[in-house]
Amino acid sequence: MQNRAIELFYLFFQGILTFQVIVFTILYLITRRKDILYYSLFLFFAAIYFFINAPYTFFGIEEDIVWNSAWYDYVNTPVIIIDNLFYILFLKSFFADLTTNSKVSRVLRFSLWIVPFMPMLFVLFTIMNLDKQFIFYTVNLIAVIPAIVVSYAIFKNKAHFASLVGIGLLCTIAGTLTTVGMIILRNYEVHHLFIDGYTLFFLRLGIFGDMIFFLAAILKKWHYQEKQLALEKLQSQLAVEQLRNKISGELHDDFGGTLSGINMYSYMIGDLLKSGNYAEADKSVSIIQKSADEMTHKLSDLIWMINPKRDSLQKLFERLEEFTINMASVKNIQVKIDKPSELSAIILPVEQRRNIYLICKEAINNAVKYSNATLLELTIKETGGKMEFSVNDNGKGFNAGMIKRGNGMVNMQLRAEEIGAKLLIQSQQVGGTQISLQCKIT
């Protein structure tokens, strides 16, 4: 019983299916995403299955000759088992965020445990010469159940970009259940064009819908990501412009003021030397030396902060470690450094790196100058998805109410707020001070 329209659809569908296998294979080679790999393998084995089950349409061979052959009996069922296994793996991989839901995770895990037992069941049925159609029903239903659960989770949670994939899943579910139903009806001697001649028509139709919606979801996601990249690029340009303005202002305020002071004292030294006031001239020289030294350190910090080669968390901590050791050595303070080993992989935006450095530098500087400590600890650790920078000393503490009026403390708080970080200060008269900066780093 042949139908020209359905035969043409079969040819059209098989061409689209083969093309999609190639497309998703290329996508996998580009993205190296496991969900893409599993989906391409699912389509590949589906294509093999449909070639096997429509020999007249594709090869001009009568169906009865193929379906009654020994190789068909040994190949057909294993192909559908492998096909459904890759489909379940695709569901688990693509919806990894949904699998954090315990119910969804349990269903997917159970399905993945059951499917590998199907080949053993197939071998057993073959040895016992039993009808293996039961395995076809079971494998397809095993794949349908997680698809139903995942679809429910998609529409319930309104997962981003997943609604299109959810619609595709519904197509596969409907096609699979309809096909299984028609096979059951055929076993009960119910006759119809689709039941007798085109039992897999609705399975093909379901997979066709699944492919279309999945591809549409990927294209929609890429379009969204392109817009996000453009937005991030614009935000990055604005951030760079703001940083330039800030650096320009600091250069004007700090360096301009310092250079003006040096220039003024240099003229004063000349007048003092002419008048024979060598003691005052010597004081002015000391002031110039101190100002030049401070300007040198500030300029070194500024160059370091804007250098793209120094944008890793590892480089930041190395800079803080070096500053801590140099500062502590002036007062013979022992230094203890505690850091994890995997810092080098984390990259920091310039503004975040700058503010973290200046906050920690201010804390280290205050500890060395005012605490009379014998031990200074610099620590970095990860807690709850955040990085925590700590500067601890064992010296004398301070009154938090008094210190809040200082410019240094106010600046530290403002810098922390600027990068969305949390600044914590604990100080005791006996037991020292702990200053911690908690910030999220991506």
Side-chain angles (χ1 to χ4, degrees), residues 206-227:
I207 292 177
F208 181 73
D210 196 347
M211 286 190 302
I212 298 300
F213 284 108
F214 183 46
L215 193 58
I218 291 176
L219 294 175
K220 185 178 178 181
K221 186 174 184 178
W222 285 353
H223 178 65
Y224 172 80
Q225 288 175 332
E226 285 179 0
K227 290 197 296 184

PDB file of all heavy atoms in Angstrom, residues 206-227:
ATOM      1  N   GLY A 206       7.354  13.717  14.459  1.00  0.00           N
ATOM      2  CA  GLY A 206       7.753  14.216  15.775  1.00  0.00           C
ATOM      3  C   GLY A 206       9.207  14.639  15.809  1.00  0.00           C
ATOM      4  O   GLY A 206       9.544  15.708  16.334  1.00  0.00           O
ATOM      5  N   ILE A 207      10.088  13.818  15.243  1.00  0.00           N
ATOM      6  CA  ILE A 207      11.518  14.153  15.200  1.00  0.00           C
ATOM      7  C   ILE A 207      11.748  15.374  14.320  1.00  0.00           C
ATOM      8  O   ILE A 207      12.596  16.227  14.629  1.00  0.00           O
ATOM      9  CB  ILE A 207      12.333  12.947  14.694  1.00  0.00           C
ATOM     10  CG1 ILE A 207      12.277  11.824  15.735  1.00  0.00           C
ATOM     11  CG2 ILE A 207      13.777  13.340  14.415  1.00  0.00           C
ATOM     12  CD1 ILE A 207      12.976  10.549  15.312  1.00  0.00           C
ATOM     13  N   PHE A 208      10.994  15.494  13.239  1.00  0.00           N
ATOM     14  CA  PHE A 208      11.108  16.662  12.364  1.00  0.00           C
ATOM     15  C   PHE A 208      10.802  17.947  13.150  1.00  0.00           C
ATOM     16  O   PHE A 208      11.540  18.933  13.066  1.00  0.00           O
ATOM     17  CB  PHE A 208      10.155  16.516  11.178  1.00  0.00           C
ATOM     18  CG  PHE A 208      10.209  17.653  10.199  1.00  0.00           C
ATOM     19  CD1 PHE A 208      11.290  17.800   9.353  1.00  0.00           C
ATOM     20  CD2 PHE A 208       9.185  18.589  10.136  1.00  0.00           C
ATOM     21  CE1 PHE A 208      11.347  18.859   8.451  1.00  0.00           C
ATOM     22  CE2 PHE A 208       9.235  19.649   9.248  1.00  0.00           C
ATOM     23  CZ  PHE A 208      10.319  19.776   8.395  1.00  0.00           C
ATOM     24  N   GLY A 209       9.697  17.912  13.913  1.00  0.00           N
ATOM     25  CA  GLY A 209       9.360  19.071  14.738  1.00  0.00           C
ATOM     26  C   GLY A 209      10.413  19.335  15.785  1.00  0.00           C
ATOM     27  O   GLY A 209      10.779  20.493  16.051  1.00  0.00           O
ATOM     28  N   ASP A 210      10.942  18.284  16.382  1.00  0.00           N
ATOM     29  CA  ASP A 210      11.998  18.418  17.395  1.00  0.00           C
ATOM     30  C   ASP A 210      13.221  19.113  16.804  1.00  0.00           C
ATOM     31  O   ASP A 210      13.793  20.030  17.403  1.00  0.00           O
ATOM     32  CB  ASP A 210      12.374  17.020  17.904  1.00  0.00           C
ATOM     33  CG  ASP A 210      13.151  17.071  19.207  1.00  0.00           C
ATOM     34  OD1 ASP A 210      13.614  18.158  19.582  1.00  0.00           O
ATOM     35  OD2 ASP A 210      13.292  16.030  19.862  1.00  0.00           O
ATOM     36  N   MET A 211      13.639  18.682  15.606  1.00  0.00           N
ATOM     37  CA  MET A 211      14.806  19.283  14.954  1.00  0.00           C
ATOM     38  C   MET A 211      14.597  20.768  14.692  1.00  0.00           C
ATOM     39  O   MET A 211      15.470  21.597  14.970  1.00  0.00           O
ATOM     40  CB  MET A 211      15.083  18.576  13.612  1.00  0.00           C
ATOM     41  CG  MET A 211      15.675  17.204  13.710  1.00  0.00           C
ATOM     42  SD  MET A 211      16.214  16.598  12.095  1.00  0.00           S
ATOM     43  CE  MET A 211      14.690  16.658  11.146  1.00  0.00           C
ATOM     44  N   ILE A 212      13.428  21.105  14.143  1.00  0.00           N
ATOM     45  CA  ILE A 212      13.152  22.492  13.776  1.00  0.00           C
ATOM     46  C   ILE A 212      13.177  23.400  15.010  1.00  0.00           C
ATOM     47  O   ILE A 212      13.817  24.461  15.022  1.00  0.00           O
ATOM     48  CB  ILE A 212      11.791  22.605  13.055  1.00  0.00           C
ATOM     49  CG1 ILE A 212      11.812  21.803  11.740  1.00  0.00           C
ATOM     50  CG2 ILE A 212      11.440  24.067  12.809  1.00  0.00           C
ATOM     51  CD1 ILE A 212      12.856  22.255  10.754  1.00  0.00           C
ATOM     52  N   PHE A 213      12.495  22.977  16.063  1.00  0.00           N
ATOM     53  CA  PHE A 213      12.407  23.818  17.262  1.00  0.00           C
ATOM     54  C   PHE A 213      13.748  23.903  17.992  1.00  0.00           C
ATOM     55  O   PHE A 213      14.085  24.938  18.560  1.00  0.00           O
ATOM     56  CB  PHE A 213      11.303  23.313  18.196  1.00  0.00           C
ATOM     57  CG  PHE A 213       9.921  23.660  17.735  1.00  0.00           C
ATOM     58  CD1 PHE A 213       9.074  22.688  17.226  1.00  0.00           C
ATOM     59  CD2 PHE A 213       9.476  24.979  17.783  1.00  0.00           C
ATOM     60  CE1 PHE A 213       7.788  23.017  16.791  1.00  0.00           C
ATOM     61  CE2 PHE A 213       8.200  25.307  17.350  1.00  0.00           C
ATOM     62  CZ  PHE A 213       7.358  24.332  16.851  1.00  0.00           C
ATOM     63  N   PHE A 214      14.503  22.805  17.981  1.00  0.00           N
ATOM     64  CA  PHE A 214      15.813  22.833  18.635  1.00  0.00           C
ATOM     65  C   PHE A 214      16.762  23.774  17.903  1.00  0.00           C
ATOM     66  O   PHE A 214      17.483  24.568  18.514  1.00  0.00           O
ATOM     67  CB  PHE A 214      16.396  21.423  18.702  1.00  0.00           C
ATOM     68  CG  PHE A 214      17.711  21.348  19.426  1.00  0.00           C
ATOM     69  CD1 PHE A 214      17.898  21.983  20.646  1.00  0.00           C
ATOM     70  CD2 PHE A 214      18.769  20.639  18.900  1.00  0.00           C
ATOM     71  CE1 PHE A 214      19.109  21.906  21.324  1.00  0.00           C
ATOM     72  CE2 PHE A 214      19.982  20.550  19.555  1.00  0.00           C
ATOM     73  CZ  PHE A 214      20.148  21.186  20.773  1.00  0.00           C
ATOM     74  N   LEU A 215      16.746  23.698  16.568  1.00  0.00           N
ATOM     75  CA  LEU A 215      17.596  24.594  15.782  1.00  0.00           C
ATOM     76  C   LEU A 215      17.173  26.047  15.973  1.00  0.00           C
ATOM     77  O   LEU A 215      18.012  26.947  16.082  1.00  0.00           O
ATOM     78  CB  LEU A 215      17.524  24.203  14.298  1.00  0.00           C
ATOM     79  CG  LEU A 215      18.567  24.826  13.372  1.00  0.00           C
ATOM     80  CD1 LEU A 215      19.972  24.488  13.833  1.00  0.00           C
ATOM     81  CD2 LEU A 215      18.353  24.365  11.943  1.00  0.00           C
ATOM     82  N   ALA A 216      15.853  26.285  16.032  1.00  0.00           N
ATOM     83  CA  ALA A 216      15.350  27.648  16.269  1.00  0.00           C
ATOM     84  C   ALA A 216      15.796  28.160  17.634  1.00  0.00           C
ATOM     85  O   ALA A 216      16.153  29.344  17.783  1.00  0.00           O
ATOM     86  CB  ALA A 216      13.820  27.661  16.181  1.00  0.00           C
ATOM     87  N   ALA A 217      15.817  27.274  18.638  1.00  0.00           N
ATOM     88  CA  ALA A 217      16.261  27.664  19.979  1.00  0.00           C
ATOM     89  C   ALA A 217      17.732  28.056  19.972  1.00  0.00           C
ATOM     90  O   ALA A 217      18.133  29.044  20.594  1.00  0.00           O
ATOM     91  CB  ALA A 217      16.026  26.522  20.965  1.00  0.00           C
ATOM     92  N   ILE A 218      18.543  27.283  19.244  1.00  0.00           N
ATOM     93  CA  ILE A 218      19.978  27.595  19.163  1.00  0.00           C
ATOM     94  C   ILE A 218      20.196  28.940  18.474  1.00  0.00           C
ATOM     95  O   ILE A 218      20.980  29.773  18.937  1.00  0.00           O
ATOM     96  CB  ILE A 218      20.728  26.475  18.412  1.00  0.00           C
ATOM     97  CG1 ILE A 218      20.740  25.198  19.259  1.00  0.00           C
ATOM     98  CG2 ILE A 218      22.147  26.899  18.081  1.00  0.00           C
ATOM     99  CD1 ILE A 218      21.379  24.016  18.570  1.00  0.00           C
ATOM    100  N   LEU A 219      19.488  29.171  17.356  1.00  0.00           N
ATOM    101  CA  LEU A 219      19.630  30.442  16.626  1.00  0.00           C
ATOM    102  C   LEU A 219      19.168  31.619  17.487  1.00  0.00           C
ATOM    103  O   LEU A 219      19.793  32.685  17.491  1.00  0.00           O
ATOM    104  CB  LEU A 219      18.828  30.389  15.327  1.00  0.00           C
ATOM    105  CG  LEU A 219      19.335  29.389  14.277  1.00  0.00           C
ATOM    106  CD1 LEU A 219      18.382  29.341  13.088  1.00  0.00           C
ATOM    107  CD2 LEU A 219      20.737  29.763  13.810  1.00  0.00           C
ATOM    108  N   LYS A 220      18.079  31.415  18.229  1.00  0.00           N
ATOM    109  CA  LYS A 220      17.581  32.471  19.116  1.00  0.00           C
ATOM    110  C   LYS A 220      18.595  32.768  20.218  1.00  0.00           C
ATOM    111  O   LYS A 220      18.845  33.926  20.567  1.00  0.00           O
ATOM    112  CB  LYS A 220      16.247  32.043  19.732  1.00  0.00           C
ATOM    113  CG  LYS A 220      15.599  33.134  20.580  1.00  0.00           C
ATOM    114  CD  LYS A 220      14.250  32.670  21.125  1.00  0.00           C
ATOM    115  CE  LYS A 220      13.626  33.757  22.006  1.00  0.00           C
ATOM    116  NZ  LYS A 220      12.324  33.309  22.566  1.00  0.00           N
ATOM    117  N   LYS A 221      19.201  31.708  20.731  1.00  0.00           N
ATOM    118  CA  LYS A 221      20.199  31.883  21.787  1.00  0.00           C
ATOM    119  C   LYS A 221      21.413  32.619  21.247  1.00  0.00           C
ATOM    120  O   LYS A 221      21.963  33.509  21.909  1.00  0.00           O
ATOM    121  CB  LYS A 221      20.606  30.515  22.342  1.00  0.00           C
ATOM    122  CG  LYS A 221      21.524  30.603  23.546  1.00  0.00           C
ATOM    123  CD  LYS A 221      21.761  29.229  24.139  1.00  0.00           C
ATOM    124  CE  LYS A 221      22.606  29.320  25.405  1.00  0.00           C
ATOM    125  NZ  LYS A 221      22.820  28.002  26.033  1.00  0.00           N
ATOM    126  N   TRP A 222      21.864  32.264  20.062  1.00  0.00           N
ATOM    127  CA  TRP A 222      23.012  32.952  19.467  1.00  0.00           C
ATOM    128  C   TRP A 222      22.712  34.427  19.234  1.00  0.00           C
ATOM    129  O   TRP A 222      23.563  35.280  19.456  1.00  0.00           O
ATOM    130  CB  TRP A 222      23.399  32.276  18.150  1.00  0.00           C
ATOM    131  CG  TRP A 222      24.106  30.974  18.343  1.00  0.00           C
ATOM    132  CD1 TRP A 222      24.538  30.442  19.528  1.00  0.00           C
ATOM    133  CD2 TRP A 222      24.451  30.026  17.337  1.00  0.00           C
ATOM    134  NE1 TRP A 222      25.130  29.225  19.325  1.00  0.00           N
ATOM    135  CE2 TRP A 222      25.102  28.934  17.994  1.00  0.00           C
ATOM    136  CE3 TRP A 222      24.291  29.975  15.965  1.00  0.00           C
ATOM    137  CZ2 TRP A 222      25.580  27.837  17.302  1.00  0.00           C
ATOM    138  CZ3 TRP A 222      24.764  28.876  15.280  1.00  0.00           C
ATOM    139  CH2 TRP A 222      25.401  27.825  15.935  1.00  0.00           C
ATOM    140  N   HIS A 223      21.491  34.720  18.750  1.00  0.00           N
ATOM    141  CA  HIS A 223      21.101  36.116  18.518  1.00  0.00           C
ATOM    142  C   HIS A 223      21.139  36.903  19.837  1.00  0.00           C
ATOM    143  O   HIS A 223      21.632  38.030  19.889  1.00  0.00           O
ATOM    144  CB  HIS A 223      19.703  36.167  17.911  1.00  0.00           C
ATOM    145  CG  HIS A 223      19.191  37.557  17.669  1.00  0.00           C
ATOM    146  ND1 HIS A 223      19.776  38.414  16.762  1.00  0.00           N
ATOM    147  CD2 HIS A 223      18.153  38.245  18.237  1.00  0.00           C
ATOM    148  CE1 HIS A 223      19.123  39.574  16.769  1.00  0.00           C
ATOM    149  NE2 HIS A 223      18.143  39.491  17.666  1.00  0.00           N
ATOM    150  N   TYR A 224      20.637  36.274  20.896  1.00  0.00           N
ATOM    151  CA  TYR A 224      20.651  36.919  22.218  1.00  0.00           C
ATOM    152  C   TYR A 224      22.084  37.142  22.685  1.00  0.00           C
ATOM    153  O   TYR A 224      22.428  38.210  23.219  1.00  0.00           O
ATOM    154  CB  TYR A 224      19.896  36.047  23.214  1.00  0.00           C
ATOM    155  CG  TYR A 224      20.003  36.510  24.640  1.00  0.00           C
ATOM    156  CD1 TYR A 224      19.209  37.554  25.124  1.00  0.00           C
ATOM    157  CD2 TYR A 224      20.904  35.903  25.522  1.00  0.00           C
ATOM    158  CE1 TYR A 224      19.324  37.983  26.433  1.00  0.00           C
ATOM    159  CE2 TYR A 224      21.017  36.330  26.831  1.00  0.00           C
ATOM    160  CZ  TYR A 224      20.216  37.365  27.284  1.00  0.00           C
ATOM    161  OH  TYR A 224      20.347  37.776  28.578  1.00  0.00           O
ATOM    162  N   GLN A 225      22.943  36.128  22.480  1.00  0.00           N
ATOM    163  CA  GLN A 225      24.331  36.253  22.912  1.00  0.00           C
ATOM    164  C   GLN A 225      25.060  37.345  22.142  1.00  0.00           C
ATOM    165  O   GLN A 225      25.908  38.044  22.698  1.00  0.00           O
ATOM    166  CB  GLN A 225      25.049  34.907  22.738  1.00  0.00           C
ATOM    167  CG  GLN A 225      24.606  33.862  23.753  1.00  0.00           C
ATOM    168  CD  GLN A 225      25.226  32.511  23.508  1.00  0.00           C
ATOM    169  OE1 GLN A 225      25.567  32.166  22.374  1.00  0.00           O
ATOM    170  NE2 GLN A 225      25.362  31.715  24.562  1.00  0.00           N
ATOM    171  N   GLU A 226      24.733  37.491  20.842  1.00  0.00           N
ATOM    172  CA  GLU A 226      25.340  38.571  20.058  1.00  0.00           C
ATOM    173  C   GLU A 226      24.964  39.940  20.630  1.00  0.00           C
ATOM    174  O   GLU A 226      25.800  40.836  20.733  1.00  0.00           O
ATOM    175  CB  GLU A 226      24.898  38.473  18.588  1.00  0.00           C
ATOM    176  CG  GLU A 226      25.583  37.352  17.814  1.00  0.00           C
ATOM    177  CD  GLU A 226      25.098  37.266  16.382  1.00  0.00           C
ATOM    178  OE1 GLU A 226      24.222  38.085  16.009  1.00  0.00           O
ATOM    179  OE2 GLU A 226      25.583  36.409  15.637  1.00  0.00           O
ATOM    180  N   LYS A 227      23.687  40.088  21.002  1.00  0.00           N
ATOM    181  CA  LYS A 227      23.249  41.349  21.603  1.00  0.00           C
ATOM    182  C   LYS A 227      23.931  41.579  22.943  1.00  0.00           C
ATOM    183  O   LYS A 227      24.320  42.706  23.272  1.00  0.00           O
ATOM    184  CB  LYS A 227      21.724  41.362  21.772  1.00  0.00           C
ATOM    185  CG  LYS A 227      20.953  41.444  20.468  1.00  0.00           C
ATOM    186  CD  LYS A 227      19.506  41.856  20.676  1.00  0.00           C
ATOM    187  CE  LYS A 227      18.736  40.861  21.473  1.00  0.00           C
ATOM    188  NZ  LYS A 227      17.296  41.215  21.590  1.00  0.00           N
TER     189      LYS A 227
END
